[in-house]
Amino acid sequence: MPRFQKHLFICNNERKEGDPRGSCVKRGANGMLDLAKDWVHQNGLKGKVRVNKAGCLDACQHGPAMVVYPDDVWYSPKSEDEMKTILQEHIKNGKTVENLALPFLPSQ
């Protein structure tokens, strides 16, 4: 049995200004990380859901990039509302948010 029911990895990679790949941090990843951690605590999911910083997830062009395991679903929340929808629907209710999920594997 896994230690956590869900594990969220949110890229907090920061690149130099002008890097053509962009930077998840410059696209708001740290705010999304803080929001996710607070939400997990507020919803009584500490110990069931783990939120972690991640280095580059190789989905820079879509940043801020995040992945939910063990589901292997990738997202790129562009606003607090999108992140809250992902947390409520996917993390709490177990339903992939199809319209916010990235339609690719990051190596593609």
Side-chain angles (χ1 to χ4, degrees), residues 26-46:
K26 288 185 173 73
R27 293 181 179 144
N30 287 339
M32 298 300 173
L33 181 77
D34 292 341
L35 189 153
K37 285 183 176 186
D38 289 345
W39 185 92
V40 165
H41 288 269
Q42 291 169 3
N43 283 272
L45 295 173
K46 185 175 177 168

Side-chain angles (χ1 to χ4, degrees), residues 3-62:
R3 181 165 177 204
F4 300 105
Q5 294 171 359
K6 302 279 186 213
H7 208 141
L8 284 68
F9 291 95
I10 301 173
C11 177
N12 71 327
N13 193 40
E14 190 167 9
R15 291 199 173 87
K16 293 181 181 178
E17 194 66 39
D19 189 300
R21 293 169 292 182
S23 167
C24 286
V25 165
K26 288 185 173 73
R27 293 181 179 144
N30 287 339
M32 298 300 173
L33 181 77
D34 292 341
L35 189 153
K37 285 183 176 186
D38 289 345
W39 185 92
V40 165
H41 288 269
Q42 291 169 3
N43 283 272
L45 295 173
K46 185 175 177 168
K48 295 179 182 177
V49 175
R50 177 77 177 165
V51 179
N52 277 99
K53 294 177 183 179
C56 183
L57 293 172
D58 201 24
C60 311
Q61 69 275 27
H62 299 284

Side-chain angles (χ1 to χ4, degrees), residues 34-96:
D34 292 341
L35 189 153
K37 285 183 176 186
D38 289 345
W39 185 92
V40 165
H41 288 269
Q42 291 169 3
N43 283 272
L45 295 173
K46 185 175 177 168
K48 295 179 182 177
V49 175
R50 177 77 177 165
V51 179
N52 277 99
K53 294 177 183 179
C56 183
L57 293 172
D58 201 24
C60 311
Q61 69 275 27
H62 299 284
M66 69 178 275
V67 61
V68 178
Y69 285 120
D71 307 340
D72 194 24
V73 176
W74 292 74
Y75 291 106
S76 178
K78 304 293 189 211
S79 69
E80 286 188 11
D81 285 341
E82 287 185 2
M83 179 60 101
K84 288 177 184 176
T85 298
I86 293 165
L87 294 167
Q88 182 65 41
E89 294 304 318
H90 190 143
I91 304 308
K92 194 167 187 178
N93 297 334
K95 299 175 187 169
T96 299

